[in-house]
Amino acid sequence: MILYGVGVGPGDPELVTLKALRVLREADLLLEPLSAPGRTSVAGSVVRRHLEAPLHPLVFPMSGVPEERDKALKAQLATLAPLLEGVRSVALPVIGDAALYATVGSLFDVWRSTRPDLELRLVPGLSAHSLAACSAGSFLAMGEESFLVAPASAPFDRLTEALSGADAAALYKPSALRERLPELVRATGPWARTVRVHRAGLPEERTVSGPEAILPTEDYLSVLLLWRSPGRTF
């Protein structure tokens, strides 16, 4: 059986690739990643704008404890067993790019532990930082500039070291830093430009810049963009 991780972009249904739609249409079974039972997902909403096939919920607990997440996934896979009879391909749509911070990686590791013949294939999608930069009217990096992508949930000292050596950066999940977000940005500066884009590609998308961009936020779906120099804007 093949498990497809399908990147469907940050949330704008017009940014889904033709290949992603083809793979989703051809899959024998579609799963929908949820953060909690009864919730909806951005990835699922995007897929429903294009397809009428049913999506079966799969909850990825957001406790931050990998063991708890894996145990929950294994239990859910056991309940899905009757649906998998004769199934040759399963597709899990994920927001952004399937090769970057994607839940399909966790699912594959757990599933392969009980099904060693499982094969993983990834379909790339547009990353949130690319759309955020376009929304902000800026190129991410040009010429020989270095560009860093990092999760704000990483250890503070590692983030400090990584950001200090970058010409430009995209910081995912800045909400994870809480009150330490301004501290991190100031410790790794000076930064000539700071922009934070919330919910890129969704109807409620909004952009803040300057000092406001580095204030603590509770919005999980936000990306903080940092430029060492003013950068190329349009």
Side-chain angles (χ1 to χ4, degrees), residues 131-171:
L131 178 56
C134 294
S135 298
S138 293
F139 290 91
L140 286 169
M142 298 293 289
E144 297 180 353
E145 293 175 333
S146 62
F147 174 65
L148 171 76
V149 178
S153 54
F156 194 86
D157 57 344
R158 286 180 54 196
L159 284 175
T160 302
E161 181 180 0
L163 283 170
S164 296
D167 295 315
L171 195 64

Side-chain angles (χ1 to χ4, degrees), residues 9-68:
D12 185 341
E14 292 185 332
L15 296 178
V16 182
T17 68
L18 294 176
K19 183 171 184 177
L21 290 178
R22 178 182 63 77
V23 170
L24 290 168
R25 289 192 180 104
E26 294 178 354
D28 296 326
L29 182 71
L30 296 179
L31 302 176
E32 179 178 10
L34 303 177
S35 59
R39 290 191 177 181
T40 58
S41 71
V42 174
S45 299
V46 171
V47 172
R48 290 186 180 92
R49 290 287 298 272
H50 295 281
L51 307 177
E52 294 184 357
L55 279 79
H56 300 275
L58 193 66
V59 177
F60 290 78
M62 305 294 284
S63 65
V65 182
E67 293 78 11
E68 292 181 3

Side-chain angles (χ1 to χ4, degrees), residues 200-229:
L202 297 173
E204 61 270 30
E205 177 183 318
R206 67 185 182 90
T207 300
V208 295
S209 58
E212 185 180 356
I214 67 172
L215 293 177
T217 178
E218 295 182 357
D219 190 355
Y220 180 84
L221 291 178
S222 61
V223 179
L224 177 63
L225 302 176
L226 305 165
W227 288 272
R228 193 73 61 187
S229 64

Side-chain angles (χ1 to χ4, degrees), residues 61-200:
M62 305 294 284
S63 65
V65 182
E67 293 78 11
E68 292 181 3
R69 177 202 61 208
D70 294 351
K71 182 179 179 180
L73 287 175
K74 188 170 292 186
Q76 292 174 84
L77 289 172
T79 64
L80 282 175
L83 296 176
L84 296 172
E85 292 292 335
V87 167
R88 299 179 62 185
S89 61
V90 178
L92 178 76
V94 296
I95 58 173
D97 179 26
L100 183 66
Y101 306 131
T103 52
V104 69
S106 302
L107 175 60
F108 177 63
D109 289 341
V110 171
W111 208 341
R112 188 172 54 172
S113 68
T114 58
R115 188 161 186 159
D117 63 332
L118 184 66
E119 180 182 346
L120 177 65
R121 297 183 187 175
L122 300 179
V123 179
L126 181 71
S127 293
H129 60 265
S130 294
L131 178 56
C134 294
S135 298
S138 293
F139 290 91
L140 286 169
M142 298 293 289
E144 297 180 353
E145 293 175 333
S146 62
F147 174 65
L148 171 76
V149 178
S153 54
F156 194 86
D157 57 344
R158 286 180 54 196
L159 284 175
T160 302
E161 181 180 0
L163 283 170
S164 296
D167 295 315
L171 195 64
Y172 276 71
K173 299 180 286 188
S175 58
L177 280 166
R178 302 182 184 275
E179 300 299 323
R180 300 199 74 182
L181 179 60
E183 178 187 350
L184 175 69
V185 175
R186 294 180 181 127
T188 56
W191 298 100
R193 189 168 183 229
T194 55
V195 175
R196 192 169 71 215
V197 180
H198 294 256
R199 301 181 172 267

